[in-house]
Amino acid sequence: MSKPNQNILVMAIDGPSGTGKGTIASRVASHLGWHTLDSGALYRAFAHVAAENDISPNDALGLEELIRTIDIAFIQTNAGLKISADGKDVTDCVRSEIGGKRASIFAKNPLVRQGLLERQRRMRIAPGLVADGRDMGTVVFPDAFLKIFLDASASIRAQRRYNQLKEKGFSGTLRGLEKEIAERDAQDRNRSASPLIPASDAIVLDTSGKGIVEVLNEVVALIEERLLEERFSAD
Ligand code: C5P
């Protein structure tokens, strides 16, 4: 069966937490005038509602039912992306550290991943999509025209995340955060379903020691080069 949206270009940005994926994805999308898919937010919202309904990460029937019925929406506002689940604004609770930890536990289950796959692919809307997560280039959009895998040393990622959270009134310690990030990364990298790894055709960029503008410039240069190649190969 032909898929009508397969001609729409997708750019995949994957990598562990604290590499600046989300910021780069939203700036690139506004530069190109394209849509964004924050797939981590989808996993976070799903896990939040599952936990609220006492559905455990291994309860196949409960998860299948939730996959069928859950309504998750992303609303772009002046204050940033708002996440709504079953009509409720869940932005603050899903963005917390506990929200990330919970998402990572539910994300291990292949049933959850399969259930959220089509929702992600439906976000491929003209004029184009910038999708960020862990398996955008490997599983969700293997035909992405450009795949970037952002990485950085664990301590730098923890420091960045700490600074971000501090601004929001986070009261934990850097040490505690480092430990949590390391645990979540290990869980994401070592799971059997869609583990966090760069796609074989991804460009890996180490952002340690680089500011967001420097990374953004590198990414934009790669996009322009690749778009030019696409245009020539279409002629
Ligand atoms: O990117 P973010 O930190 O919001 O993702 C939260 C968690 O959701 C990740 O640690 C990961 O376990 C899961 N996730 C995933 N696949 C994606 C995006 C997120 O497994 N594409």
Side-chain angles (χ1 to χ4, degrees), residues 46-59 62-63 66 106:
F46 182 86
H48 171 77
V49 177
E52 291 268 285
N53 286 285
D54 291 325
I55 300 171
S56 90
N58 299 313
D59 172 1
L63 291 172
L66 188 60
F106 279 88

Side-chain angles (χ1 to χ4, degrees), residues 51-219:
E52 291 268 285
N53 286 285
D54 291 325
I55 300 171
S56 90
N58 299 313
D59 172 1
L61 284 181
L63 291 172
E64 272 168 4
E65 169 74 11
L66 188 60
I67 286 162
R68 266 196 306 276
T69 54
I70 193 169
D71 172 27
I72 300 173
F74 298 115
I75 305 139
Q76 200 64 57
T77 71
N78 289 340
L81 189 73
K82 290 266 166 219
I83 307 154
S84 137
D86 294 335
K88 277 194 223 139
D89 183 348
V90 294
T91 316
D92 291 340
C93 34
V94 308
R95 289 291 188 207
S96 65
E97 281 314 284
I98 186 91
K101 202 168 169 176
R102 201 159 44 198
S104 178
I105 294 169
F106 279 88
K108 281 200 290 186
N109 188 330
L111 205 97
V112 173
R113 306 203 71 82
Q114 188 59 35
L116 296 181
L117 192 58
E118 273 313 306
R119 278 172 201 262
Q120 296 174 79
R121 291 191 174 148
R122 281 202 298 271
M123 308 284 282
R124 190 170 188 167
I125 300 167
L129 178 70
V130 182
D132 86 85
R134 305 290 186 290
D135 60 345
M136 298 296 100
T138 49
V139 176
V140 184
F141 303 110
D143 62 337
F145 86 102
L146 177 62
K147 300 177 186 177
I148 303 280
F149 189 93
L150 295 180
D151 214 343
S153 73
S155 60
I156 286 184
R157 291 189 290 111
Q159 184 68 58
R160 282 181 187 157
R161 187 90 184 110
Y162 181 74
N163 295 346
Q164 249 178 15
L165 291 171
K166 264 279 180 238
E167 280 172 22
K168 295 182 192 157
F170 174 71
S171 57
T173 64
L174 176 60
R175 249 214 154 127
L177 194 59
E178 263 173 11
K179 192 166 161 280
E180 283 192 3
I181 286 183
E183 279 168 10
R184 181 145 69 94
D185 281 355
Q187 187 155 256
D188 289 347
R189 288 184 207 271
N190 299 326
R191 68 185 174 213
S192 50
S194 312
L196 169 64
I197 40 160
S200 56
D201 51 350
I203 298 170
V204 179
L205 293 182
D206 191 330
T207 70
S208 312
K210 287 180 188 166
I212 210 81
V213 175
E214 193 178 347
V215 180
L216 190 61
N217 285 338
E218 280 182 46
V219 173

